Amino acid sequence: MASFKIEGGHPLSGTIIPQGAKNEALQVICATLLTSERVTIHNIPDIRDVNNLIQLLRDIGVKVEKPAANTFSFQADQLNLNYLESDEFVHKCAQLRGSVLMIGPLLARMGKAVITKPGGDKIGRRRLDTHFLGFEKLGAKFHHIDDRNVYEISALPSNAHHPTPNTLKGTYMLLDEASVTGTANIIMAAVFAKGTTTIYNAACEPYVQQLCHMLNRMGANISGIGSNLLTIVGVEQLHGTQHRLLPDMIEVGSFIGMAAMVGDGVRIKDVSLKDLGIIPEAFRRLGVKVEVDGDDLYIPRQKHYVVDSFIDGTIMTLADAPWPGLTPDLLSVLIVVATQARGSVLFHQKMFESRLFFVDRLIDMGAQIILCDPHRAVVVGHDRKLTLRASRMSSPDIRAGIALLIAAMSANGTSTISNIEQIDRGYEHIEDRLNALGAKIERI
C-alpha cells in the first residue's frame, strides 16, 4: 500500500492543465459496447478506475488500441458472451463502481447482462434501484441468483439464445431520483428500444450531455439534451465515431481549492468554463477570488478570504444538489478551504451518509469543525491565524483523499497520507503535477 509524504507550507505557482473527466470517461467507454465499429476517445485520464474499466473491456473481447497518449480506440465486434456470464467477470465487476454502466449497453445490444453489486467508494449507500426500475420500464426482466449473489437482467424473447434483437420497448418513465449513472445507463439501454422513450427527472450534468452528443453522432436519436426531460427514438444500429472528453470539473475545483489555500498565483488552463456550472461561484462564496481569462481560471494569492453571508445576514450554507446545483464531489474540498477563511459556513451533504466523517482528521489537525450529524458540519474559519498541524492520515475515498492532501499541503510540518490508491482512482499523476507547481509530495 502506497503513501504520500507531504511537506507543508510550500506555495504553488504556475499553470496546470486539468485531466479529462473521470465520470464522463466511465460512461462513454461503456457506450463503445453499443456498436461493432471502431470508436476513438481522446483526453482519457490515466487513472486507476478508468484503466481498470478499459482492462475489463479487453477481458470481454473488445479490441483496445492506444494510438497516442490519453487516446484509446475501442472495437466491440467480437464479444466473448460466455465470459460475460462467468463468475470471473462478475467478480471483476464487483471491484469497480464504473462496471455498472456496462449493463445498459449489454442489455441493448446483447439482450442480457449479469452483474453483481459494484464496488467503489465507501461513502454510504449507493443504490441501483433507479437503474433496475428504468430497465424494467423498458421491458427487461431481472432476478437475483442467490447462490451466485448476482443479478441477471434479460430483454430476450423466451427461449432465445443471444445475441438476438432485444425486446425492449420505448415508454415514459419518471425517475425516482436524478441519478447520473442511472440516467446514463437507461439512455444506453433505450437507444435500440422500439418506439420512443421519454425520461423525466433525468440527470442533465455535462457528462450526461456529452454521452448523448456522442451517441447522436453514432446514429442515435436523442433530444432534450441539457434538460431533465430526454426523448429517445429507438434506432436499429449505431456506428463508430470520435469523441473528446471534457476537462474534469472536480479536478478543476480541487485546483481552485489548492490555489486558495497554498497558492501564490495559479492558472488553471482550458477548464471549459461553460461546463463548470456553479463551481466557481461556490468558491467565491467562501471569499476566494476566481478570475476568468478566456477559458482559463486564475486564482491570485490571497492573504485573507472572507466568507459571504446571505442578504438577511444568516450564516452561509453550502449544500450539494443535482446539476446544475453543486456537485457533492467538491464538498470535501470546500470544507478544507473554509477552515482558513474568515467566517463560518454550514455544509449540508445530502446525498451520502458517510462522506463527512473525514472531518475528524481535519479536527485532529486543529480545524474548528462541529459535526452536527452524518450530513451536516459547521466550519469556523481560522482566518489563517492558526495553521493546521501536520498529521498521519488515511484516505477514505477519492474526494476526501484530495481534500486531506490539500490540508496537508497547507499544514505546518510533514504529513503522511496512506491508502492513496483511493486518490489514484480519480487523479492522474497528482504528485508529479503538483510538485511541478512547487509542492513537496513524495510517494512512498
Side-chain angles (χ1 to χ4, degrees), residues 44-58:
I44 292 180
D46 182 13
I47 55 176
R48 185 179 294 262
D49 273 13
V50 170
N51 293 338
N52 287 345
L53 180 62
I54 292 172
Q55 183 57 49
L56 195 57
L57 263 62
R58 285 193 181 100

Side-chain angles (χ1 to χ4, degrees), residues 60-128:
I60 65 174
V62 178
K63 299 184 182 75
V64 180
E65 297 178 359
K66 188 178 181 181
N70 302 105
T71 295
F72 287 84
S73 67
F74 304 86
Q75 189 163 5
D77 56 346
Q78 292 181 322
L79 296 182
N80 185 337
L81 303 182
N82 291 329
Y83 186 77
L84 282 167
E85 296 181 12
S86 69
D87 287 338
E88 182 182 344
F89 172 69
V90 169
H91 175 73
K92 288 184 177 180
C93 289
Q95 311 305 312
L96 179 63
R97 178 76 194 172
S99 66
V100 71
L101 287 158
M102 297 172 66
I103 305 177
L106 291 173
L107 190 61
R109 185 157 168 228
M110 299 297 161
K112 193 174 184 181
V114 179
I115 196 163
T116 188
K117 184 177 180 181
D121 284 331
K122 303 298 183 279
I123 55 174
R125 186 172 58 95
R126 300 177 95 176
R127 59 191 182 86
L128 299 178

Side-chain angles (χ1 to χ4, degrees), residues 330-348:
L330 273 177
L331 279 191
S332 303
V333 172
L334 287 160
I335 286 170
V336 172
V337 174
T339 65
Q340 294 301 320
R342 181 187 300 166
S344 300
V345 191
L346 169 63
F347 289 92
H348 192 172

Side-chain angles (χ1 to χ4, degrees), residues 120-177:
D121 284 331
K122 303 298 183 279
I123 55 174
R125 186 172 58 95
R126 300 177 95 176
R127 59 191 182 86
L128 299 178
D129 300 52
T130 303
H131 304 243
F132 289 150
L133 291 171
F135 299 147
E136 194 174 43
K137 283 273 191 182
L138 292 170
K141 309 293 183 185
F142 67 93
H143 67 276
H144 187 254
I145 303 175
D146 293 331
D147 59 338
R148 296 178 64 199
N149 193 27
V150 300
Y151 294 97
E152 184 177 87
I153 309 162
S154 178
L156 293 171
S158 57
N159 301 320
H161 297 285
H162 62 103
T164 187
N166 70 57
T167 59
L168 298 179
K169 293 182 180 178
T171 186
Y172 168 85
M173 66 181 77
L174 173 61
L175 301 188
D176 61 332
E177 64 175 355

Side-chain angles (χ1 to χ4, degrees), residues 415-434:
S415 299
T416 303
I417 302 176
S418 61
N419 195 30
I420 60 169
E421 287 79 7
Q422 287 287 350
I423 300 174
D424 290 338
R425 288 178 50 214
Y427 293 86
E428 177 178 331
H429 311 307
I430 190 65
E431 74 274 26
D432 295 335
R433 297 159 72 203
L434 294 180

